[in-house]
Amino acid sequence: MTMINRIDRAIDMTGRIVKGIAAEHMSAPTPCREWDLRELLNHLVGGMNIFAAQLQGLTPVRDHHDDWLGTDPQGAYAEAAELDRAAWHRPDALERPVRLGFGEVPGPMAAVIHLTELVVHGVDLAVAIGQEGLVDDRLCAEMLTIMHEMGLESFRVPGMFGPEVEVPADAPAHRRMLAYVGRA
């Protein structure tokens, strides 16, 4: 399975979850304690738009923390998903460096970082709205393997990942993944 295929699966999984978000969910807490559901979804949609622009050699039209959702969060996600998917499917997508908040990274590393954002935050959204049944646990298991191989210790800082939380070894993959990044 290629990284681009995994990104596609993550976009699809999160899209199914986003379709289930109702207006009353927007202020719900999420496993990502810094953000309520609207803030988390806005962060995710903003990131997708920014990655899409960067992969095309363009300057993003807004800052990551601007309002990307407007009055139609599902529509904003769908539009971002289309742009994001198209950008990652460009023949040179993995050859182009991507500028992130902490500096420029090679395309393959940007793909791993983006996949992490999509999968972890997609699961955060599913947990927040009580729709864990929509989570792609196989993808979460693959993501957890990638995270273990990379090592996240240098990313265990406030605002990124917290200390690993203990969960039963037989917990579903998405719960083990959330525990690994410091969410309960």
Side-chain angles (χ1 to χ4, degrees):
M1 172 89 32
T2 70
M3 191 59 60
I4 303 305
N5 293 129
R6 286 185 180 108
I7 288 172
D8 284 341
R9 285 175 49 208
I11 289 170
D12 292 342
M13 174 191 77
T14 303
R16 289 188 301 274
I17 295 162
V18 169
K19 285 179 184 175
I21 295 174
E24 61 267 15
H25 292 134
M26 287 299 170
S27 61
T30 69
C32 191
R33 292 179 197 100
E34 294 83 24
W35 294 318
D36 66 17
L37 192 136
R38 181 179 175 79
E39 291 166 325
L40 178 62
L41 182 56
N42 190 68
H43 167 79
L44 187 59
V45 169
M48 293 169 79
N49 278 288
I50 289 170
F51 266 99
Q54 292 260 338
L55 289 167
Q56 296 174 72
L58 304 171
T59 301
V61 296
R62 287 179 262 175
D63 184 59
H64 202 149
H65 298 290
D66 287 345
D67 180 15
W68 292 88
L69 301 180
T71 60
D72 183 11
Q74 284 84 3
Y77 179 85
E79 183 179 323
E82 186 177 312
L83 293 170
D84 193 37
R85 189 184 314 270
W88 284 106
H89 280 272
R90 291 170 56 95
D92 65 343
L94 295 176
E95 297 167 17
R96 182 181 298 276
V98 177
R99 179 159 299 286
L100 301 174
F102 56 85
E104 193 170 275
V105 297
M109 178 57 71
V112 171
I113 291 168
H114 191 54
L115 177 65
T116 303
E117 286 270 310
L118 289 168
V119 175
V120 171
H121 289 322
V123 173
D124 286 336
L125 293 170
V127 169
I129 64 170
Q131 292 297 320
E132 291 179 57
L134 297 175
V135 170
D136 180 341
D137 247 13
R138 192 172 121 232
L139 179 60
C140 291
E142 292 169 12
M143 188 74 250
L144 186 57
T145 298
I146 291 167
M147 290 175 170
H148 280 289
E149 289 171 355
M150 284 179 37
L152 291 181
E153 296 315 308
S154 62
F155 295 102
R156 292 192 188 281
V157 296
M160 291 185 92
F161 300 124
E164 187 171 359
V165 176
E166 283 193 46
V167 294
D170 63 348
H174 70 278
R175 284 294 181 172
R176 287 183 283 122
M177 181 192 68
L178 287 183
Y180 186 67
V181 298
R183 289 153 167 72

